[in-house]
Amino acid sequence: PNSGEDESGPSGQAEEGPGADDEDIPGDVCQFCGLQDPKLAEGDNMDLHFYNDCAMLCSCKECGQIIEIASYNEHLLNECESLEKYRECPRCLEAVHVDEFQAHQDKNTCVVAKPAKMYNRCPLCHMDTPPGEEGWKKHLLEELGCPCNDRKFPGKK
């Protein structure tokens, strides 16, 4: 079984994303990407998977915390220890570094955000993807995955 950190996920955001109903997930299955590997149940292997390999997670470029990619913008704007360095663009609704914010707004070329029920916006590649958890899984885990994600899912779902 998972430890307290594993049950809520590295960012504590599991209730909003892919790990939402992880109570029945076996100890050898990643609650985020669904990878099933008996080695994940051994020692710290699940944590190592979260910190190094899970394609649904990333390391915050500011604080290093492991978070779900689906909530990366929210993390930068509301949770990160460096949140004062980011502002939300009213047009695309993405987190933009304050040093780049004026230029970002002046260019006025960012893609206008669409309703969350219609699309997800990937904070890594800025592409719109299908909505909800399945949209995130399709974008981050299937085929080649997100082109801007260094982590790749080891198998197709």
Side-chain angles (χ1 to χ4, degrees):
N2 295 330
S3 69
E5 179 178 321
D6 293 348
E7 288 177 9
S8 65
S11 68
Q13 296 294 318
E15 65 277 357
E16 297 177 14
D21 297 316
D22 61 307
E23 295 165 358
D24 297 325
I25 296 176
D28 65 347
V29 176
C30 174
Q31 68 192 45
F32 298 100
C33 70
L35 176 67
Q36 193 279 325
D37 184 340
K39 293 178 184 172
L40 290 177
E42 300 170 6
D44 292 334
N45 287 346
M46 185 67 77
D47 285 339
L48 291 171
H49 171 71
F50 289 160
Y51 287 95
N52 299 314
D53 302 316
C54 182
M56 297 292 288
L57 305 174
C58 68
S59 177
C60 174
K61 61 187 171 187
E62 293 292 342
C63 70
Q65 183 177 347
I66 302 301
I67 57 171
E68 289 185 64
I69 292 169
S71 62
Y72 192 33
N73 279 317
E74 178 183 342
H75 169 78
L76 288 172
L77 293 168
N78 302 309
E79 302 164 358
C80 184
E81 62 189 36
S82 297
L83 62 87
E84 71 281 350
K85 294 181 180 180
Y86 289 85
R87 289 184 58 196
E88 183 178 66
C89 172
R91 180 180 162 93
C92 66
L93 303 181
E94 293 195 60
V96 179
H97 196 281
V98 293
D99 293 344
E100 301 165 5
F101 190 79
Q102 193 60 52
H104 176 87
Q105 290 225 288
D106 290 347
K107 283 171 69 177
N108 202 34
T109 56
C110 59
V111 180
V112 175
K114 297 174 182 79
K117 291 181 181 177
M118 295 175 62
Y119 297 94
N120 294 323
R121 170 80 44 90
C122 179
L124 304 180
C125 69
H126 312 288
M127 291 174 38
D128 286 336
T129 65
E133 178 182 341
E134 290 308 310
W136 284 115
K137 286 183 176 182
K138 182 173 178 59
H139 179 65
L140 296 169
L141 303 179
E142 292 183 9
E143 299 162 6
L144 299 176
C146 174
C148 295
N149 190 357
D150 293 335
R151 301 175 179 204
K152 301 296 180 192
F153 188 66
K156 293 188 178 185
K157 298 286 289 179

